[in-house]
Amino acid sequence: MSAIEALRKSLSVSSEDASSEDKKKMAVEAITKILDALGRGVAPFGEWEQRCLGAAIIALRSSKFDEARSFARRAIWPEENRRNSGVARFPLRPGMLSLAELAHELETARKLPPRGKPRMVE
């Protein structure tokens, strides 16, 4: 099994019954592992990966932890599963173009408190 296949497999654990805090940890861990792997050259780092990881960090900031993890995992999809139209909706974001910038943004997002649902005032 190649390193990228092992990474994909390690990130396939279900978060269905996890608490919100555990889902956040899983999302941060997934993004971190992918950034580290791309930094080691396990897979190429290009526009697809930039867009997916940027979308993952933005979802993390919004406390959409399952979505964040899903976007991050999309960054390491096999080439044959990638569709340019599918990732085109995630714009390239200034400050999220390099691995270092993405890692910095992840660290910032990781420290944010979870966003709660707005309460209705009676």
Side-chain angles (χ1 to χ4, degrees):
M1 180 181 312
S2 72
I4 193 74
E5 290 169 331
L7 178 59
R8 287 182 191 128
K9 187 173 182 175
S10 75
L11 298 175
S12 65
V13 177
S14 173
S15 64
E16 189 175 322
D17 296 326
S19 69
S20 180
E21 188 59 34
D22 287 340
K23 286 182 180 189
K24 179 179 181 178
K25 286 178 187 174
M26 291 174 80
V28 169
E29 181 180 304
I31 298 167
T32 301
K33 281 183 174 184
I34 292 167
L35 287 171
D36 290 346
L38 293 173
R40 291 190 321 269
V42 169
F45 178 70
E47 186 178 330
W48 174 273
E49 294 77 13
Q50 289 171 321
R51 289 174 184 260
C52 292
L53 291 168
I57 292 168
I58 290 166
L60 183 67
R61 285 182 189 157
S62 300
S63 298
K64 297 177 181 176
F65 307 128
D66 287 332
E67 194 173 291
R69 193 162 160 249
S70 177
F71 288 146
R73 291 176 58 205
R74 214 179 268 194
I76 56 171
W77 274 3
E79 200 65 41
E80 63 270 13
N81 293 348
R82 297 178 180 196
R83 303 280 185 278
N84 285 336
S85 62
V87 79
R89 67 185 176 122
F90 310 128
L92 290 173
R93 305 273 184 179
M96 290 191 189
L97 300 178
S98 70
L99 289 171
E101 290 173 337
L102 287 163
H104 174 74
E105 290 298 321
L106 172 62
E107 189 58 28
T108 301
R110 187 186 67 75
K111 293 175 183 176
L112 293 174
R115 287 187 179 177
K117 293 182 182 173
R119 289 203 246 172
M120 295 184 62
V121 178
E122 294 181 19

